[in-house]
Amino acid sequence: MSTPSPAGPPWLGYAFAAIGAVLFAAKGILIKLAFAEGVDTLTLLALRMGLSVPIYVAVGLITYGRGRDRRAAVPGSAYLKALAIGVIGYWFSSYADFKGLETLTPQFERLILFTYPLFVLLFGAALFHEPLRAKPLVAFAVAYLGLAVIFLADFQTGGGDIVVGALWVLAAAVTFALYQLLARGGIAAMGAPLFTSVAMTGAAVVVLALFLVTHPLSALAVSGRALALAVALAIGATVLPSFFMSAALSRISAAANSTIGTLSPVVTLVLAVLFLGEPLRGVDLLGTAMVVGGVGLFTVFDRRRR
């Protein structure tokens, strides 16, 4: 993939990509801190969606208004598909990720999610007849060996809870990979801002409906600290990084953006030590190096293929 025409100096694209990766890395830390305040998964998801979706919807409406003539050619079925795809990528994937964080450390959760390109590769070959090459699979074998190193160490203390948490986050990675593949056509037809707005709206409807079925509305009256964490999660670790990533992709290549994204698990590891008091174990450093190295190697192979 060629580098896009720069909208400003290239270094600005690298800076935006790095800021986006750091903000995304904070997500697991904020979720763990909110759990410590007694907020459950579905309540936290409802707060996150309730606070972030209005911003996405506003951006989507502005985008629609600016490109009304082109949007008129988009069939109504495309909007329905975007709603359904959003339920996969922004509801179930997020729910599974939050459930996994109930028992996993943020650094381990981030590393599992970080391997979602493997599932993009596998599903692309199985469902969309994309070529499946050996070298990327070798790269991901290295990454999953790194995950196995951390998993075995955590299993010694966490037992079955670690297995359940890892399976939840693995499900999040799988469904996010499906979202990436299924969203391509909608993004091409509608544009990324409008597609994201519609997809987020679909996810928000499901999240809020489930919340209202399972919780009293009064459950949203959380403590001041918990609300502040929910705002930080919705704005600082959801809305802002998505816009920073979009701004980066308008200035640098997707491959460069992916490479800079390898900062995310490392930053999560550091933040977990600083803000959650997690121990900095040698096994975490080894596993992180293997996962980041494996995904980085995949990026190199993918760039050469293009």
Side-chain angles (χ1 to χ4, degrees):
M1 182 180 293
S2 59
T3 304
S5 300
W11 66 263
L12 198 57
Y14 296 120
F16 285 156
I19 293 169
V22 170
L23 291 175
F24 272 133
K27 182 193 69 174
I29 309 300
L30 294 169
I31 292 171
K32 295 293 276 191
L33 290 172
F35 285 165
E37 291 295 308
V39 182
D40 65 84
T41 291
L42 205 49
T43 301
L44 188 58
L45 266 177
L47 287 168
R48 180 198 193 196
M49 286 298 186
L51 291 165
S52 63
V53 165
I55 299 173
Y56 284 112
V57 170
V59 171
L61 290 174
I62 292 170
T63 303
Y64 183 86
R66 287 177 176 173
R68 190 179 303 248
D69 293 339
R70 186 166 75 87
R71 310 298 175 200
V74 180
S77 60
Y79 291 91
L80 293 176
K81 288 179 181 177
L83 287 169
I85 292 168
V87 171
I88 295 172
Y90 290 117
W91 169 63
F92 183 79
S93 185
S94 293
Y95 179 77
D97 184 33
F98 279 44
K99 289 294 290 182
L101 276 164
E102 290 179 0
T103 55
L104 297 184
T105 62
Q107 56 267 43
F108 191 26
E109 170 263 354
R110 173 56 51 181
L111 288 174
I112 297 174
L113 278 183
F114 195 57
T115 62
Y116 80 88
L118 169 63
F119 299 105
V120 173
L121 193 71
L122 295 177
F123 287 135
L127 303 177
F128 299 93
H129 309 292
E130 295 180 359
L132 184 62
R133 293 175 172 81
K135 286 184 177 179
L137 294 179
V138 172
F140 278 110
V142 173
Y144 270 86
L145 280 174
L147 288 179
V149 167
I150 299 175
F151 174 82
L152 290 174
D154 287 353
F155 183 76
Q156 299 297 320
T157 55
D161 288 342
I162 299 300
V163 176
V164 172
L167 288 175
W168 271 117
V169 180
L170 193 62
V174 168
T175 48
F176 186 69
L178 281 173
Y179 168 81
Q180 293 277 310
L181 289 166
L182 295 172
R184 289 176 181 175
I187 290 173
M190 301 165 63
L194 181 58
F195 179 88
T196 301
S197 173
V198 175
M200 285 290 288
T201 300
V205 169
V206 174
V207 168
L208 295 174
L210 285 173
F211 173 81
L212 291 174
V213 168
T214 58
H215 294 66
L217 193 59
S218 59
L220 291 176
V222 296
S223 68
R225 177 175 166 80
L227 182 59
L229 289 167
V231 171
L233 176 64
I235 308 302
T238 304
V239 175
L240 286 179
S242 69
F243 286 135
F244 273 118
M245 289 300 181
S246 295
L249 285 170
S250 71
R251 293 166 172 82
I252 60 177
S253 69
N257 193 56
S258 297
T259 302
I260 293 172
T262 58
L263 283 171
S264 188
V266 178
V267 172
T268 300
L269 178 63
V270 173
L271 292 177
V273 172
L274 293 177
F275 292 99
L276 299 179
E278 296 281 353
L280 184 60
R281 305 176 303 177
V283 69
D284 292 318
L285 294 174
L286 174 61
T288 299
M290 293 177 71
V291 173
V292 171
V295 176
L297 192 59
F298 165 77
T299 302
V300 172
F301 289 147
D302 187 62
R303 185 185 305 169
R304 289 177 179 174
R305 178 172 66 86
R306 295 172 188 274

